[in-house]
């Protein structure tokens, strides 16, 4: 009996330590972006689902936005279609758009919904097309000053949070694929999942945007060093943006957009670490990079 008591004590301590965080985050919306590169094995995906369900049962309102870049590339390859990125975005022909939609909405989203729903009837999948959640126009980035055509890639113009808010009010966990519709409903657009997550976090007035990826956070002098920047303000981040490389650009631009539009913290964390979401939300030991608004934006 005494041994049993003794071994159970640390568990109780862990729960009690989480109490201030449980109080702080109760009722708050957290948008979590799960990237294709962090979905590397079954254990990690299952642990991700456990963390999200835990947040929901702890009284938070998690919204999942997922990527699937590597999965899309693999499918394009299988179908003999070329996979090319310009300005960090996939050049998306109409044929490639069919593949993007099939992989994101038909495979990756279904898998995440399935994993979450092992814990109860919680997750509901949707894409930005549903209930006009994400509307976009054609995005034409500039490369060396020239506008380039990268096909069906969307730039978000409007977010309608109605469907997501109704699901949250109903106790569900929305799982959103980063596909948008055009305002005239004539076609669909491929949107980078980091960008979609950040836009949703801002529109939902989320407390936190959490971006899971396959590195520890934002490295200070990548690829020369792997020193993680643990905390930076919006202005500090803005100064770093021009020097950032490919994959980090939409993540950090997204974090900046989020904290400049009402989100209290935007974090980039290592999705390869099991239960990284719980570590980040319920403990002192923030494990990745945290972006906060400038001090004057808080007043
Ligand atoms: N400053 C930086 N710090 C960390 N990673 C960086 C940085 N600049 C570029 N990267 C690259 O960005 C990648 C993450 O982006 P990406 O491959 O798009 O991931 P995801 O699929 O999770 O969205 C990292 O694996 C790394 O190679
Ligand atoms: C326009 C654009 O590049 N869209 C991305 C959408 C998926 C995504 O962003 O997935 P990750 O988060 O896993 O990178 C793509 O086609 O790969």
């Amino acid at each position: 009996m005494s041994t049993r008591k003794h071994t159970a004590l640390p568990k109780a301590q862990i729960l009690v330590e989480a109490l201030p965080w449980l109080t702080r985050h109760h009722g708050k919306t957290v948008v979590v972006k799960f990237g294709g590169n962090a979905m590397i094995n079954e254990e990690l995906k299952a642990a991700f689902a456990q963390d999200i369900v835990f947040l929901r049962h702890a009284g938070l309102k998690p919204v999942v936005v997922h990527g699937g870049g590597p999965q899309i590339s693999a499918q394009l390859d299988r179908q003999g279609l070329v996979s090319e990125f310009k300005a960090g975005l996939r050049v998306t022909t109409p044929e490639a758009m069919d593949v993007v939609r099939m992989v994101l909405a038909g495979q990756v989203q279904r898998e995440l919904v399935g994993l979450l729903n092992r814990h109860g009837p919680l997750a509901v999948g949707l894409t930005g097309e549903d209930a006009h959640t994400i509307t976009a126009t054609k995005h034409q980035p500039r490369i060396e000053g020239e506008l380039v055509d990268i096909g069906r890639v969307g730039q978000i113009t409007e977010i309608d949070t109605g469907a997501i808010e109704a699901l949250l009010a109903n106790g569900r966990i929305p799982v959103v694929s980063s596909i948008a519709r055009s305002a005239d409903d004539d076609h669909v657009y491929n949107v980078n999942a980091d960008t979609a997550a950040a836009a949703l976090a801002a529109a939902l007035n989320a407390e936190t945007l959490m971006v899971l990826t396959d590195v520890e956070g934002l490295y200070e002098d990548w690829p020369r060093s792997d020193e993680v920047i643990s905390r930076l303000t919006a202005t500090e981040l803005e100064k770093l943006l021009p020097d950032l490389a490919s994959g980090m650009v939409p993540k950090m631009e997204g974090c900046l957009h989020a904290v400049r539009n009402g989100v209290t913290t935007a974090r980039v964390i290592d999705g390869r670490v099991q239960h990284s979401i719980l570590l980040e939300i319920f403990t002192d030991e923030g494990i990745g990079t945290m972006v906060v608004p400038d001090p004057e934006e808080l007043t």
Side-chain angles (χ1 to χ4, degrees), residues 33 35-37 67-70 72 85 88-90 100 153 178 190-193:
K33 189 268 176 162
N37 282 315
I72 296 167
F85 283 82
L89 300 167
R90 186 184 306 278
V100 169
V153 174
S178 57
N190 181 11
V191 178
N192 174 278

Side-chain angles (χ1 to χ4, degrees), residues 47-241:
F48 169 82
Q50 283 176 326
D51 285 9
I52 296 292
V53 171
F54 191 97
L55 294 186
R56 156 69 181 71
H57 288 308
L60 288 85
K61 295 175 181 166
V63 175
V64 177
V65 179
H66 70 86
Q71 294 81 345
I72 296 167
S73 298
Q75 184 60 31
L76 287 171
D77 209 37
R78 277 194 287 274
Q79 294 186 209
L81 295 167
V82 281
S83 211
E84 191 195 353
F85 283 82
K86 281 188 183 166
L89 300 167
R90 186 184 306 278
V91 177
T92 310
T93 60
E95 296 80 23
M97 188 62 230
D98 286 343
V99 174
V100 169
R101 202 185 198 189
M102 179 181 81
V103 172
L104 292 184
Q107 292 174 4
V108 180
Q109 183 212 88
R110 291 294 93 203
E111 189 185 0
L112 290 176
V113 166
L115 286 168
L116 288 160
N117 285 341
R118 279 190 193 162
H119 303 275
L122 295 167
V124 178
L126 68 156
T127 85
E129 298 162 77
D130 294 288
H132 294 187
T133 299
I134 308 177
T135 305
T137 55
K138 186 177 166 75
H139 178 51
Q140 281 195 287
R142 267 183 200 279
I143 300 178
E144 288 162 9
E146 297 287 311
L147 283 179
V148 283
D149 188 344
I150 53 169
R152 296 268 168 90
V153 174
Q155 177 167 346
I156 299 174
T157 52
E158 219 178 313
I159 301 268
D160 183 332
T161 56
I164 293 179
E165 277 174 310
L167 288 169
L168 291 174
N170 197 227
R172 312 288 176 182
I173 302 172
V175 179
V176 188
S177 309
S178 57
I179 300 167
R181 61 183 271 282
S182 61
D184 60 11
D185 257 335
D186 257 5
H187 33 252
V188 286
Y189 285 118
N190 181 11
V191 178
N192 174 278
D194 298 315
T195 312
L200 281 172
L204 285 163
N205 253 314
E207 183 196 42
T208 307
L209 167 67
M210 206 177 279
V211 181
L212 270 67
T213 186
D214 64 346
V215 282
E216 288 165 78
L218 177 65
Y219 294 137
E220 192 156 353
D221 188 21
W222 189 85
R224 283 169 291 278
S225 116
D226 58 4
E227 193 71 37
V228 176
I229 303 175
S230 53
R231 190 175 188 279
L232 71 172
T233 63
T235 299
E236 285 165 348
L237 172 58
E238 197 166 33
K239 287 190 192 130
L240 282 183
L241 273 183

